[in-house]
Amino acid sequence: MASVQRITEMLARIKEGESCTTHDWDNRVVPKTVRQILKKYDLMHTYKPETPVNQDMELADRYFAAGLELAEVLGVQCTDTETIVRFSKEELLRALKEAPSELTLGSGSDKVTLSARGPEDETKPLFCTSLSIQIDEPLYPELVSQLVAYKGVDILQGPSIDTIFGIPAFSGTPFETAAGIREAKLRSEALWKAGRPGMQQMGMSSSVTEFGFMCGYPASQTPGDPMIGICLQPSELKTNYCNFNKVLTTAAFGGFLRTGCPSMIGGYSGPPEGSAVANIASDILQFALFGTDISNCSMYDVRLNSACCRTGLWAMSVSVQATSRNTHTILDKIINQSAGPCTEDILYTNAAGLITTCVSGMELTTGPRSAGGAMKNYLTPLEAYFCADAFKAAAGLKLDKALEIVDYCLTKYEEHVDDQPKGKSYYDCYDRKTRQPIPEWKAMDERVREDLNKRGLNI
Amino acid sequence: MQELLTKISDAIYDGDNELSAELAQKAIDEGIAPETIINEGGVVGLERLGKAFDEMEAFLPELMLGGEAMHELLDVVRPHLKKSDGVVNATVVLGCAQGDLHDIGLNLVATQLSVGGFNVINLGTDTSVSEFIDTAVKNDASIIGVSSLLTTSAYYQDELIKKLVKDGLRDRFKVIVGGGPITPEWTEKIGADGYSRTANQAVQLCKRLVSGEQGVLVIE
């Protein structure tokens, strides 16, 4: 759990750090250093397309050593001060040692325990729903109460709203502040409707900048049950003041921290191998920089805007295996689906991504990211339930069995992974009177579950 | 001549700013036509980079540096262009809307437009409506492009157009919009001039707009 004093001291340290422009950091420092580390640890060309779930644990350990060194050599760049904060190896290892291996979340009958896992672990991971997909404000209580009513859902992040009482929520203004406060009220209503008032919450979703967070977070608190603060940075190995404002707010209210920044295959860290090393370094640095409780450094391939492709699955598997085998920390990586509701693609990509991360040792995931998270109201309870079940069903699978199932799933969508179908909106694939999926969507879900059951995933 | 053009292509591929400018000047001095320097030197280098990106041999930093090297080349060559040369000679002001810090897509569009021969002014993330307009006026731009990954920042695309109308500047600039949640319907609703889904398509879009094509242009 972060402290205001520690975070303030870190801010002072960043301010005094070595100067580096964001342009140089992104385009010269990160690419060059990643290449040097890959070469030093003999990791170039270790990406094997035929094993999207890595089977080589020695390789995973070598990746961890490389990620640790990358974290030490690079540190983190702050885009506001254009300075770098670096950590010694001892500092990084101490931060990892001091990170929690278990968190008790929620209260009453909704209380759950989030525990560190390893590859092939039989302990079931936890599932948080959904990503911050924008939905109509009046739809929030109806849709979110259905999302959280499901027994497989452990934590609420929830969608976001882009209006407040019908008025546009302009980002970076008091309108966004109001959106955060409004979301807090809607969350509370949805949890009450679902009969799960003690469920652990993560927030805020309607917070593009810190404005929505700094009032919405306190407004969502329940006594003695602090919210997990989501404090994310758009790209890897960087931070900014906006994120620190969110971290400080969380610390002030005694909440748990979920911090992170995504790594992009094809982006600044280069090939899948480079992105995997950068992702491990990013995870390690979250603990040193913020004293985070949950590291949330996800991955995606910039060409496809997804991590459910072969490169993304492989890189996620190596990264999670590396960190889960060599630390006791808690990770949450988002699989970044891009298909939408009422398509088989979203179900098979959910299965491929979540089997990969679960069997590699991940403790928590947040999803779904239906239709790439870009289409308003393209989110339904059915794919969220599927995610929860697939993720948990993968616990205890062996890596080779997981590979077999993931390979099978890839045959269902890989040919068109660069152009996944966006599907239908909630309004088009749910009957709002009965609150049930339309027959077409229900049948699709049943068909894919049956298919995966036959393949050995007990979903 | 071909040897020099190949060297220019290599300099762009390697993202070497100084060499790109130096070789462009040498080509001008040797009497090579400006459009040949651009199309058979610079653009060839960037097309090689694009192919390498698709095949995972080059990555975003290489694309960015290649785009910057092309910018340097264009700075040298542009004063020698005549309108009849058939090369685009227009300025595009680009940025992410206020409150939006997601600049990967923006940078790809900026690079592709540079490749396409446009003079690009990239204002980066979290750009206010006033900054877009002031920069466009100051640089006599033809197009303003606003990127948004979030609908709460997409509202500023609408605001920008409203402010252009209010300030009597709407006819002076074409406005293009893009980003994850942006759709043709939204483009039409706010009265923007164009939308494209990908960075590559943004080049076609801008070329059609500066050629005087009218109506809302959508490339999906």
Side-chain angles (χ1 to χ4, degrees):
Chain A
M1 205 173 279
S3 79
V4 171
Q5 183 181 342
R6 185 188 182 284
I7 298 298
T8 312
E9 286 167 358
M10 189 57 67
L11 278 167
R13 190 169 158 182
I14 289 170
K15 205 163 175 290
E16 299 307 315
E18 180 192 331
S19 293
C20 180
T21 65
T22 302
H23 180 276
D24 273 358
W25 181 257
D26 286 341
N27 295 299
R28 300 183 199 281
V29 179
V30 170
K32 188 177 159 196
T33 315
V34 168
R35 273 198 296 269
Q36 285 169 348
I37 294 282
L38 286 177
K39 206 171 168 189
K40 180 176 175 182
Y41 285 84
D42 196 20
L43 295 172
M44 296 288 244
H45 310 297
T46 51
Y47 161 58
K48 289 191 173 69
E50 65 276 17
T51 50
V53 182
N54 175 53
Q55 306 286 302
D56 181 349
M57 293 305 106
E58 185 277 326
L59 181 69
D61 291 346
R62 198 144 41 96
Y63 264 93
F64 183 77
L68 183 61
E69 182 163 340
L70 185 68
E72 183 189 354
V73 174
L74 273 181
V76 179
Q77 194 256 8
C78 175
T79 56
D80 286 295
T81 56
E82 296 214 303
T83 54
I84 304 165
V85 59
R86 290 203 174 87
F87 303 92
S88 67
K89 188 175 179 183
E90 291 68 34
E91 280 182 294
L92 294 171
L93 292 173
R94 189 165 62 245
L96 290 172
K97 194 176 169 192
E98 288 172 356
S101 60
E102 190 173 288
L103 298 172
T104 302
L105 305 171
S107 60
S109 58
D110 297 312
K111 189 186 280 187
V112 288
T113 304
L114 178 58
S115 306
R117 300 174 70 249
E120 301 182 340
D121 205 313
E122 291 184 1
T123 312
K124 290 201 184 302
L126 297 190
F127 181 70
C128 172
T129 199
S130 63
L131 287 182
S132 306
I133 298 163
Q134 277 157 347
I135 63 167
D136 289 336
E137 185 186 356
L139 183 61
Y140 193 103
E142 175 184 327
L143 177 49
V144 176
S145 62
Q146 289 179 75
L147 288 172
V148 296
Y150 194 60
K151 64 181 186 328
V153 171
D154 305 295
I155 301 168
L156 168 64
Q157 173 173 325
S160 60
I161 51 172
D162 62 358
T163 60
I164 323 104
F165 305 110
I167 298 164
F170 289 93
S171 58
T173 70
F175 290 100
E176 185 188 319
T177 309
I181 297 165
R182 178 78 176 131
E183 184 195 321
K185 300 296 173 201
L186 293 171
R187 278 168 173 267
S188 165
E189 185 182 336
L191 288 170
W192 179 81
K193 273 189 172 178
R196 299 195 72 175
M199 179 180 276
Q200 177 66 51
Q201 294 188 56
M202 274 194 200
M204 299 300 294
S205 289
S206 310
S207 182
V208 178
T209 70
E210 64 268 57
F211 280 64
F213 191 96
M214 291 173 75
C215 280
Y217 182 90
S220 296
Q221 300 297 313
T222 47
D225 194 9
M227 193 177 191
I228 299 171
I230 306 171
C231 311
L232 304 177
Q233 162 76 33
S235 65
E236 62 208 319
L237 300 159
K238 287 187 289 196
T239 190
N240 59 23
Y241 277 177
C242 168
N243 215 24
F244 267 92
N245 277 325
K246 294 181 181 182
V247 169
L248 278 165
T249 306
T250 308
F253 286 87
F256 294 122
L257 273 177
R258 173 185 146 198
T259 67
C261 49
S263 295
M264 297 160 288
I265 297 165
Y268 303 122
S269 52
E273 296 92 334
S275 298
V277 173
N279 192 243
I280 295 161
S282 296
D283 274 326
I284 293 169
L285 285 162
Q286 298 309 306
F287 297 98
L289 184 65
F290 298 117
T292 199
D293 297 290
I294 302 166
S295 178
N296 184 205
C297 299
S298 301
M299 306 192 80
Y300 61 92
D301 190 317
V302 288
R303 297 166 186 80
L304 309 168
N305 188 23
S306 172
C308 297
C309 50
R310 210 167 272 272
T311 50
L313 294 168
W314 178 86
M316 278 196 302
S317 74
V318 169
S319 177
V320 176
Q321 288 164 8
T323 308
S324 67
R325 279 172 58 83
N326 289 279
T327 74
H328 61 249
T329 58
I330 294 174
L331 304 181
D332 173 358
K333 291 191 197 297
I334 294 153
I335 62 169
N336 286 320
Q337 309 92 317
S338 55
C342 206
T343 67
E344 285 197 354
D345 290 72
I346 192 172
L347 302 178
Y348 283 112
T349 52
N350 283 342
L354 296 170
I355 291 170
T356 300
T357 50
C358 176
V359 80
S360 295
M362 202 163 73
E363 293 77 17
L364 170 69
T365 196
T366 306
R369 179 190 183 243
S370 312
M375 310 275 287
K376 192 172 177 182
N377 300 319
Y378 277 59
L379 168 67
T380 80
L382 198 65
E383 73 266 18
Y385 301 166
F386 185 96
C387 282
D389 292 344
F391 192 41
K392 294 180 183 195
L397 280 182
K398 297 296 174 198
L399 284 161
D400 56 351
K401 183 66 183 171
L403 173 61
E404 185 188 310
I405 304 172
V406 168
D407 262 338
Y408 173 73
C409 291
L410 278 163
T411 65
K412 296 288 186 180
Y413 65 84
E414 192 172 22
E415 267 186 19
H416 49 279
V417 70
D418 58 338
D419 190 20
Q420 292 268 277
K422 297 304 172 206
K424 296 178 178 175
S425 78
Y426 174 81
Y427 298 117
D428 294 328
C429 57
Y430 255 68
D431 180 329
R432 296 187 67 192
K433 278 185 188 160
T434 63
R435 301 209 169 172
Q436 291 298 312
I438 58 171
E440 177 194 359
W441 187 204
K442 191 164 184 278
M444 221 178 265
D445 176 75
E446 287 169 357
R447 196 162 56 240
V448 175
R449 281 174 184 261
E450 193 185 336
D451 188 22
L452 291 171
N453 265 311
K454 282 185 203 158
R455 304 273 161 186
L457 184 73
N458 187 21
I459 181 173
Chain B
M1 178 174 90
Q2 189 52 50
E3 191 184 343
L4 184 53
L5 291 173
T6 304
K7 280 184 182 169
I8 290 173
S9 161
D10 290 345
I12 298 290
Y13 187 88
D14 294 336
D16 191 330
N17 288 2
E18 282 179 22
L19 188 59
S20 300
E22 188 187 313
L23 292 173
Q25 187 58 56
K26 193 176 174 198
I28 292 284
D29 294 345
E30 288 184 11
I32 301 175
E35 71 274 22
T36 306
I37 299 170
I38 293 171
N39 293 327
E40 295 177 33
V43 171
V44 169
L46 284 166
E47 283 172 353
R48 285 166 56 203
L49 265 180
K51 189 166 180 285
F53 181 73
D54 288 340
E55 292 169 358
M56 281 210 306
E57 286 168 5
F59 306 99
L60 191 57
E62 284 87 355
L63 282 190
M64 298 279 290
L65 296 176
E68 286 173 16
M70 184 71 176
H71 211 281
E72 295 290 322
L73 179 145
L74 288 171
D75 279 351
V76 173
V77 173
R78 192 172 277 116
H80 302 274
L81 285 170
K82 293 172 204 152
K83 280 192 175 173
S84 57
D85 284 342
V87 176
V88 180
N89 199 6
T91 297
V92 182
V93 171
L94 287 177
C96 284
Q98 188 174 327
D100 203 322
L101 302 176
H102 302 82
D103 61 354
I104 302 291
L106 171 75
N107 291 336
L108 282 170
V109 172
T111 301
Q112 294 292 350
L113 287 174
S114 285
V115 174
F118 286 91
N119 176 37
V120 178
I121 300 172
N122 185 351
L123 297 174
T125 59
D126 195 15
T127 305
S128 69
V129 165
S130 302
E131 199 179 349
F132 274 112
I133 296 174
D134 292 349
T135 308
V137 169
K138 197 175 158 192
N139 292 280
D140 196 21
S142 304
I143 298 172
I144 300 173
V146 190
S147 167
S148 175
L149 192 73
L150 309 144
T151 53
T152 49
S153 53
Y155 289 134
Y156 290 107
Q157 296 174 338
D158 186 26
E159 288 292 296
L160 181 125
I161 290 168
K162 283 179 180 159
K163 183 155 173 58
L164 285 173
V165 171
K166 192 176 166 190
D167 294 353
L169 293 168
R170 183 63 187 95
D171 295 336
R172 190 163 159 189
F173 307 107
K174 297 289 184 185
V175 177
I176 59 169
V177 292
I182 308 305
T183 61
E185 292 74 30
W186 171 254
T187 307
E188 198 152 344
K189 184 180 171 190
I190 64 172
D193 299 295
Y195 158 85
S196 75
R197 195 173 69 84
T198 69
N200 274 334
Q201 293 162 343
V203 182
Q204 298 168 42
L205 176 67
C206 288
K207 283 185 175 171
R208 286 170 61 183
L209 285 170
V210 294
S211 75
E213 206 167 319
Q214 296 296 315
V216 181
L217 301 184
V218 170
I219 307 181
E220 284 193 280

